[in-house]
Amino acid sequence: MIRQPLEDGFITVSRAKSTIRFPAQFMLVAAMNPCPCGYFGSYARRCKCTPGQIERYLSKISGPLVDRIDIHIDVPAISFTRLRSKSGQLDSATMKQDVVRAGDVQAKRFGDGKVMTNARMSHKQVEKWCRLDSASELMLKQAMTEFGLSARAHDKICKVARTTADLAGAEDIAPEHIAEAISYRKLDRKL
Ligand SMILES: [Zn+2]
């Protein structure tokens, strides 16, 4: 049920006499454990699950839904030392500045159009605003083949790379932006 609003920002309710379309744009943030016991990949405790159990657990979330989520990442537990250390961390205020700046870049890019953010670009806009150099093109091609990515995942990678470039203040998408965007498709590899 969540697929349609995720995809086009509308929800359609059909009854015998009429069909009504409601606006339903939202940001989906979801979390799941890496395995049934929750410790797969943890440095602190040992995971007791079998590969079969992990596979069955991960397959509970449907491929088409995962395909519609822009960014999937691992969030490992934080070690005590890192938890206590104050150095080298990006604080929320700086992060906010970067986000606002990237938002301004996007507002300028799309002008008064219906689309306001990279995430909402149509395929045509992706072609226009996410031009890739040959190195990025090759990297994307390899990822598509290796992980069997869909056309939708292809566009999502381009959009996320565009945002990564915007956050870095870069005019063009560079290979490191595409590489970062590809690394955010973790679940495509597991399912
Ligand atoms: Zn486990």
Side-chain angles (χ1 to χ4, degrees):
M1 288 298 283
I2 212 170
R3 271 201 242 160
Q4 194 207 357
L6 255 187
E7 183 82 353
D8 44 44
F10 284 97
I11 196 153
T12 311
V13 179
S14 294
R15 290 288 177 270
K17 282 184 183 160
S18 63
T19 297
I20 305 171
R21 226 161 85 106
F22 294 103
Q25 269 192 20
F26 62 99
M27 185 186 283
L28 173 72
V29 180
M32 73 189 289
N33 280 330
C35 65
C37 85
Y39 293 108
F40 181 73
S42 161
Y43 65 91
R45 286 173 74 162
R46 242 185 59 202
C47 165
K48 295 192 184 87
C49 313
T50 65
Q53 281 176 314
I54 296 176
E55 206 167 302
R56 259 196 312 282
Y57 178 77
L58 290 177
S59 67
K60 277 185 192 167
I61 164 167
S62 86
L65 180 61
V66 166
D67 204 32
R68 284 166 175 81
I69 298 176
D70 296 5
I71 295 176
H72 345 131
I73 48 166
D74 278 331
V75 186
I78 301 175
S79 69
F80 179 79
T81 338
R82 249 196 89 197
L83 197 64
R84 301 292 301 169
S85 131
K86 297 250 185 307
S87 63
Q89 285 177 9
L90 200 59
D91 61 273
S92 296
T94 317
M95 220 182 268
K96 186 183 170 187
Q97 277 175 12
D98 290 348
V99 171
V100 169
R101 195 166 33 79
D104 291 344
V105 171
Q106 291 171 54
K108 218 185 242 171
R109 173 174 302 134
F110 301 116
D112 298 332
K114 250 171 50 188
V115 168
M116 295 302 288
T117 60
N118 293 337
R120 293 274 169 204
M121 281 193 280
S122 65
H123 180 67
K124 269 221 147 66
Q125 285 172 311
V126 168
E127 281 177 344
K128 183 176 177 191
W129 297 110
C130 305
R131 296 228 170 90
L132 304 181
D133 59 15
S134 53
S136 306
E137 187 89 44
L138 184 67
M139 206 185 289
L140 183 55
K141 188 179 162 196
Q142 280 170 345
M144 296 271 311
T145 324
E146 195 177 322
F147 307 127
L149 301 183
S150 67
R152 187 178 289 115
H154 167 277
D155 277 13
K156 286 200 180 299
I157 290 172
C158 291
K159 291 174 190 181
V160 171
R162 182 64 269 172
T163 301
T164 315
D166 290 345
L167 279 167
E171 183 109 351
D172 298 315
I173 296 175
E176 69 255 33
H177 305 133
I178 278 286
E180 190 175 336
I182 291 170
S183 75
Y184 295 150
R185 301 294 306 175
K186 278 269 161 28
L187 284 169
D188 287 329
R189 285 159 232 197
K190 284 182 183 161
L191 293 176

